[in-house]
């Protein structure tokens, strides 16, 4: 299995809702990432988990809460989001978090209304 | 400005022509990676070149790296309509534990 699977593919949520994005990989990769991408812009790093521990938080607002239940799973919990948080959320994994190249999922297209 | 700046921002060519994209960066790196992204999809890893390498090939792709100029180029030869996508470079610094993406080049290949 050489894929990163993200669910759901599309999500529409209100500003008072709580929702979660899910990401799964079975490549034995030990680093997992959340990126946010706005239209016509590069991906922006949000969080890095290395060996199931949060190693980088790029000053992301607390309305985004990451979780790594085990080495194969990564969640992003969403609460009280703003319309400007609408974007494509990408999950990625890499072998060891040492810049060895990422495998990306197809993303979740999030719309906040 | 952001590590990993690319030019041109947009490139439009005819099928069969070659496409060249450039990436410049500011700090020292361990490697540089190129990715392709089709509209609204995830990024696909194309090729990784290490800081001690000068050139690398993969199929119709040729990547060069000049660490003295802090720049890299991606050449796609004999382009096809299916190559239409955005292309991003990403620079990896092991000490930072992350890679930083450039602004990307949007390539359109006309049939």
């Amino acid at each position: 299995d050489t894929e990163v699977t993200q669910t759901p593919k599309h999500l529409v949520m209100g500003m008072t809702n709580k929702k979660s994005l899910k990401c799964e990989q079975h490549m034995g990769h030990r680093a997992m990432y959340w990126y946010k991408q706005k239209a016509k812009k590069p991906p922006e790093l949000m969080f890095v988990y290395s060996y199931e521990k949060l190693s980088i938080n790029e000053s992301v607002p607390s309305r985004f809460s990451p979780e790594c239940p085990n080495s194969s799973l990564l969640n992003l919990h969403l609460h009280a989001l703003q319309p400007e948080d609408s974007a494509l959320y990408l999950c990625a994994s890499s072998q060891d978090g040492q810049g060895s190249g990422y495998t990306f999922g197809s993303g979740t297209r999030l719309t906040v209304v | 400005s952001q590590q990993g700046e690319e030019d041109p921002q947009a490139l439009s060519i005819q099928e069969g022509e070659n496409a060249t994209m450039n990436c410049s960066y500011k700090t020292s790196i361990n490697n540089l990676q190129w990715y392709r992204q089709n509209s609204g999809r995830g990024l696909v890893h194309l090729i990784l070149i290490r800081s001690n390498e000068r050139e690398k090939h993969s199929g119709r792709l040729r990547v060069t790296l000049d660490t003295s100029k802090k720049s890299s180029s991606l050449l796609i030869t004999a382009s096809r309509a299916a190559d239409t996508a955005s292309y991003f470079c990403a620079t990896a610094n092991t000490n930072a534990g992350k890679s930083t993406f450039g602004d990307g080049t949007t390539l359109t290949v006309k049939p």
Side-chain angles (χ1 to χ4, degrees):
Chain A
D1 188 349
T2 57
E3 287 187 344
V4 173
T5 303
Q6 286 189 246
T7 56
K9 292 196 187 309
H10 301 273
L11 178 63
V12 179
M13 61 184 289
M15 289 188 282
T16 58
N17 290 160
K18 283 185 183 181
K19 295 286 184 184
S20 296
L21 309 185
K22 296 186 183 302
C23 175
E24 189 168 3
Q25 57 90 12
H26 295 288
M27 295 176 282
H29 287 178
R30 302 316 301 268
M32 296 185 77
Y33 310 79
W34 281 115
Y35 282 87
K36 173 183 176 180
Q37 187 179 28
K38 299 282 248 183
K40 300 190 187 302
K41 294 290 187 183
E44 295 176 30
L45 183 65
M46 300 175 72
F47 302 105
V48 180
Y49 273 83
S50 181
Y51 293 85
E52 300 164 50
K53 287 186 168 40
L54 182 65
S55 59
I56 296 178
N57 175 343
E58 292 285 294
S59 303
V60 178
S62 59
R63 57 186 184 269
F64 296 91
S65 174
E67 179 196 19
C68 188
N70 60 54
S71 60
S72 300
L73 293 175
L74 186 66
N75 299 322
L76 186 62
H77 303 298
L78 314 172
H79 173 53
L81 294 193
Q82 304 296 310
E84 58 265 30
D85 296 322
S86 298
L88 181 67
Y89 287 83
L90 294 163
C91 174
S93 68
S94 70
Q95 255 185 337
D96 55 10
Q98 298 299 311
S100 53
Y102 301 137
T103 302
F104 278 86
S106 296
T108 294
R109 174 70 62 189
L110 174 67
T111 304
V112 181
V113 297
Chain B
S1 57
Q2 190 176 9
Q3 173 95 325
E5 296 177 3
E6 294 175 66
D7 79 271
Q9 285 190 322
L11 180 60
S12 181
I13 59 175
Q14 294 294 136
E15 213 166 23
E17 293 180 340
N18 296 342
T20 300
M21 290 157 260
N22 303 295
C23 170
S24 61
Y25 57 92
K26 291 181 166 46
T27 62
S28 63
I29 62 171
N30 297 100
N31 67 60
L32 187 144
Q33 305 145 44
W34 284 92
Y35 293 83
R36 183 187 75 233
Q37 185 178 34
N38 291 91
S39 181
R41 305 290 303 275
L43 283 77
V44 174
H45 182 259
L46 296 176
I47 198 164
L48 181 152
I49 186 165
R50 301 189 191 286
S51 58
N52 61 354
E53 296 176 310
R54 292 295 165 258
E55 188 170 314
K56 206 161 180 181
H57 297 254
S58 176
R60 293 185 295 114
L61 305 180
R62 173 178 168 251
V63 168
T64 61
L65 179 65
D66 187 334
T67 52
S68 66
K69 294 182 179 177
K70 291 187 165 59
S71 68
S72 173
S73 67
L74 171 67
L75 168 68
I76 304 174
T77 60
S79 63
R80 305 166 182 168
D83 294 328
T84 294
S86 293
Y87 291 81
F88 294 94
C89 68
T91 52
N93 181 309
T94 304
N95 290 339
K98 63 183 182 181
S99 296
T100 304
F101 284 84
D103 292 334
T105 294
T106 300
L107 173 66
T108 302
V109 181
K110 301 175 193 172

